[in-house]
Amino acid sequence: MEPLTIHERIDSFQDSMELLVGEANQDEHARKELLGVVAKAVASLETPAETILRMMLSPIAPSVLMALIKMGALQAIVNSKTPLTVMQLVTITGADELLIVRLLRPLVALRFFIETDVETYTSTPSSQMLTVPHFFGGFQFLSAGATKSLAYLPDYLALTGFRSVNSVPVPFEYAMDLNKFGEQGMFKWLLSDPPMLADFNAFMSGRRAHRKQWYEMFPAEQIILEGASNDDDTILLVDIGGGEGKDAEAFRAKFSGVPGRVVLQDLLDVIFNIEKLDNRVIRMGHDFFLPQPIQDARAYYFRNVFHNWPDVDCLKILENTASAMKKGYSKLLLFEWILPEKDVPLFPALLDINLMALLSGMERTEAQWRMLLDSAGFEIVKFWKTSPDTEGMIEAVLKGQNGKHLEATIEPVLTWEKQTYAKTMIATALARKNGNGTEGKIEAVLKGEDEQCREAMVEPDLKGENKKDIEVMVEALLIKKPETEPGGMIEAMPREDEKDMEGMTEAVPKVKYENLIEL
């Protein structure tokens, strides 16, 4: 049997790929994984010249698509139940026949439209999706603002000596000739143009509505509800800069039986333009550059707010929020991108540049978030993350509220009837340290009869005001029993992630703390 030719193998690969795509589309994680594999394959197949040419010509497709939107051709093709000829499009739009044909050519090549016959066109899932209000509004907003700003970005950076963009005026203000607006140029520009503001709000609300809520990704019970007040009149959550209230409304619906009120805050112009919102969500006009008026709430929540602002403005927002928080009770929750230190995925990397050009904003790495929050008087409880290509949650509290991680030394008393070693998972608790330096004490005893698997139970006797137990995992280093001695020592360091640990059997460990350390 003769081996298959390269073309036959390509045909076979295409058939296999179609089956694989069908399966991957049933699992979002698998779909993204396969997409990454295909993107790497395309990058390997594409020549350097092809890559450069593609980048050079990439602004063309969005430009012609915006022209088709303005003339109404996109909407006509998508809304038609049958393919439309170019002459039908001429009748609908009033545009020139040759112009329509030329504008549609690159979008047909990109499979954004399908040419069913000569100069006859129908829509695809992508062109249909663009007519959904939040994409339709977002495309027009970004075309009007971001496209011009990004085109001007190289000249702007040259004029500023290639300094980081972290203050006003930003490229957007130069490109749009909006120096008259001064600070917050883009947002004041939006307020001066009601149709564009409507497009922007539709874009923001739609993006939120079609993505998972943070409490579907991370444990809200652990983050907010445990330890929250049971009084119906207290404030459970304040959604600050929450736009049309999609997040606040969804949170209230999800936790409808939980005591406490949910408040939506945004600028009055935004609040007044909300057409529909659950009446259980309290609406409140507020500028987060002014002191936060709601005191002692359980959670102050921001979604994709801080990436719009440079550090100096973020500090103002954080300080205004911190002044309203109750130490030992209130939490700060930021739903934002947490960029990895290397190999940042394409979407957040592009979004970061877009924010630079429009707002002097930025997406931040974990280290940058730590530095920003620390300088505003916060300490981070945890970075809640799923994957690098998805936003995460930053849980923070006022400094001094959260206990430090402690270095623990475990000294077990061992019996050696059997020289077998068991897998031991040791749960410990953070001992709080109050203002006068008093440390908590933790004692743990191994339980269970099975020498192959034991758990260490922690019952802390904590001193100080805050006695809430927080569990972390301990990675134990096993030191084997000497032949002539009945004892041994295990040293352990707290870690945030759960791991199976090796430990001695039948041990009665006592935990003592040598010194405070930051992990």
Side-chain angles (χ1 to χ4, degrees):
M1 182 177 178
E2 294 184 5
L4 295 176
T5 67
I6 183 64
H7 300 292
E8 291 171 330
R9 288 163 60 195
I10 290 173
D11 290 340
S12 177
F13 171 77
Q14 182 175 348
D15 293 339
S16 299
M17 177 61 74
E18 288 175 357
L19 292 174
L20 186 58
V21 167
E23 292 181 31
N25 280 333
Q26 307 303 313
D27 181 327
E28 181 62 12
H29 178 74
R31 188 190 70 82
K32 287 187 175 181
E33 185 178 4
L34 180 58
L35 195 61
V37 171
V38 171
K40 288 181 180 179
V42 170
S44 298
L45 285 169
E46 196 173 55
T47 67
E50 288 171 334
T51 301
I52 293 169
L53 284 171
R54 176 173 52 79
M55 293 178 69
M56 289 168 57
L57 299 176
S58 61
I60 294 174
S63 179
V64 298
L65 184 52
M66 191 65 236
L68 290 168
I69 288 174
K70 285 183 177 291
M71 75 167 62
L74 166 74
Q75 300 90 310
I77 295 172
V78 170
N79 292 333
S80 177
K81 295 181 180 179
T82 58
L84 295 178
T85 66
V86 67
M87 293 311 299
Q88 288 174 308
L89 288 171
V90 168
T91 301
I92 294 170
T93 65
D96 182 78
E97 175 187 355
L98 179 58
L99 175 64
I100 294 174
V101 171
R102 294 177 68 188
L103 292 177
L104 282 169
R105 281 174 184 161
L107 298 176
V108 168
L110 290 169
R111 304 296 292 173
F112 201 80
F113 296 104
I114 294 174
E115 193 169 14
T116 59
D117 202 344
V118 177
E119 297 181 356
T120 304
Y121 309 93
T122 192
S123 62
T124 65
S126 296
S127 50
Q128 293 160 18
M129 181 64 75
L130 184 56
T131 61
V132 173
H134 73 275
F135 279 119
F136 194 69
F139 195 91
Q140 293 180 87
F141 157 69
L142 289 173
S143 178
T147 301
K148 293 180 181 178
S149 303
L150 291 166
Y152 189 76
L153 181 63
D155 291 337
Y156 171 91
L157 294 175
L159 286 172
T160 60
F162 296 98
R163 299 291 183 265
S164 291
V165 182
N166 54 19
S167 63
V168 293
V170 298
F172 171 84
E173 293 167 8
Y174 276 100
M176 304 292 286
D177 192 24
L178 294 181
N179 291 332
K180 58 184 178 182
F181 287 115
E183 293 188 21
Q184 303 178 45
M186 193 197 81
F187 290 113
K188 289 189 176 181
W189 170 72
L190 285 172
L191 293 173
S192 71
D193 187 340
M196 190 59 66
L197 177 62
D199 285 338
F200 176 78
N201 285 335
F203 181 42
M204 293 295 103
S205 297
R207 289 182 68 238
R208 293 178 174 185
H210 288 81
R211 284 165 21 187
K212 279 189 174 183
Q213 294 289 342
W214 67 268
Y215 52 78
E216 297 175 312
M217 303 164 66
F218 312 116
E221 290 80 3
Q222 178 182 341
I223 296 171
I224 292 182
L225 304 185
E226 292 178 5
S229 171
N230 291 321
D231 188 341
D232 286 333
D233 292 329
T234 59
I235 304 299
L236 178 64
L237 180 137
V238 186
D239 183 357
I240 305 165
E244 296 182 341
K246 300 298 184 184
D247 280 27
E249 185 174 58
F251 181 86
R252 181 72 284 175
K254 174 69 174 178
F255 302 103
S256 58
V258 175
R261 300 179 180 182
V262 174
V263 179
L264 167 68
Q265 292 182 338
D266 213 308
L267 297 174
L268 282 173
D269 297 273
V270 176
I271 295 294
F272 287 151
N273 283 321
I274 296 175
E275 296 181 358
K276 184 180 178 181
L277 184 66
D278 190 327
N279 57 17
R280 294 175 298 173
V281 175
I282 300 169
R283 308 183 195 193
M284 182 179 186
H286 173 59
D287 181 347
F288 46 56
F289 285 107
L290 299 176
Q292 172 59 246
I294 296 180
Q295 301 287 313
D296 302 339
R298 174 58 169 165
Y300 295 86
Y301 168 75
F302 295 83
R303 179 165 186 168
N304 297 140
V305 169
F306 286 86
H307 74 170
N308 291 327
W309 304 97
D311 285 354
V312 62
D313 290 321
C314 289
L315 284 172
K316 294 176 185 176
I317 302 170
L318 289 169
E319 289 166 358
N320 286 331
T321 307
S323 66
M325 294 174 66
K326 181 178 180 180
K327 195 170 185 178
Y329 179 73
S330 298
K331 293 192 175 187
L332 177 73
L333 303 179
L334 310 182
F335 194 87
E336 296 272 359
W337 287 97
I338 305 167
L339 300 182
E341 296 296 334
K342 65 184 292 290
D343 295 331
V344 176
L346 180 60
F347 179 72
L350 293 176
L351 186 57
D352 179 51
I353 303 302
N354 199 52
L355 291 165
M356 178 199 300
L358 283 171
L359 293 162
S360 190
M362 66 184 299
E363 303 296 354
R364 294 173 172 87
T365 64
E366 187 172 312
Q368 289 169 322
W369 280 117
R370 286 189 183 279
M371 185 178 299
L372 176 63
L373 289 166
D374 179 75
S375 61
F378 289 91
E379 58 180 303
I380 292 171
V381 175
K382 185 170 182 176
F383 286 100
W384 297 89
K385 295 181 283 187
T386 55
S387 66
D389 56 2
T390 305
E391 293 130 307
M393 172 73 79
I394 304 165
E395 179 186 355
V397 294
L398 296 175
K399 281 186 180 179
Q401 177 177 331
N402 191 37
K404 304 288 186 180
H405 291 288
L406 304 176
E407 182 174 347
T409 301
I410 302 175
E411 295 181 347
V413 178
L414 302 172
T415 58
W416 297 96
E417 294 179 1
K418 294 183 180 179
Q419 294 187 22
T420 58
Y421 299 99
K423 293 283 186 180
T424 303
M425 186 170 287
I426 304 174
T428 187
L430 294 178
R432 306 290 182 171
K433 190 174 179 65
N434 63 22
N436 59 19
T438 304
E439 294 182 5
K441 179 178 67 175
I442 296 176
E443 293 187 350
V445 179
L446 292 178
K447 70 172 186 179
E449 299 297 331
D450 185 358
E451 291 182 344
Q452 300 307 311
C453 184
R454 298 181 180 277
E455 290 184 45
M457 300 301 294
V458 178
E459 298 180 358
D461 177 16
L462 300 179
K463 299 178 182 179
E465 294 181 358
N466 191 341
K467 295 188 177 182
K468 181 180 178 183
D469 297 343
I470 296 180
E471 290 191 343
V472 295
M473 303 311 296
V474 176
E475 181 179 2
L477 303 176
L478 174 63
I479 300 179
K480 293 185 178 180
K481 164 190 167 299
E483 291 295 329
T484 57
E485 296 184 12
M489 178 178 288
I490 300 174
E491 292 187 344
M493 292 281 281
R495 293 288 184 267
E496 290 185 357
D497 56 330
E498 297 185 2
K499 296 181 181 178
D500 286 335
M501 314 305 170
E502 283 196 283
M504 298 296 188
T505 63
E506 300 184 18
V508 183
K510 290 187 177 181
V511 181
K512 62 184 181 181
Y513 293 96
E514 308 284 39
N515 61 315
L516 287 163
I517 62 167
E518 289 278 5
L519 294 183

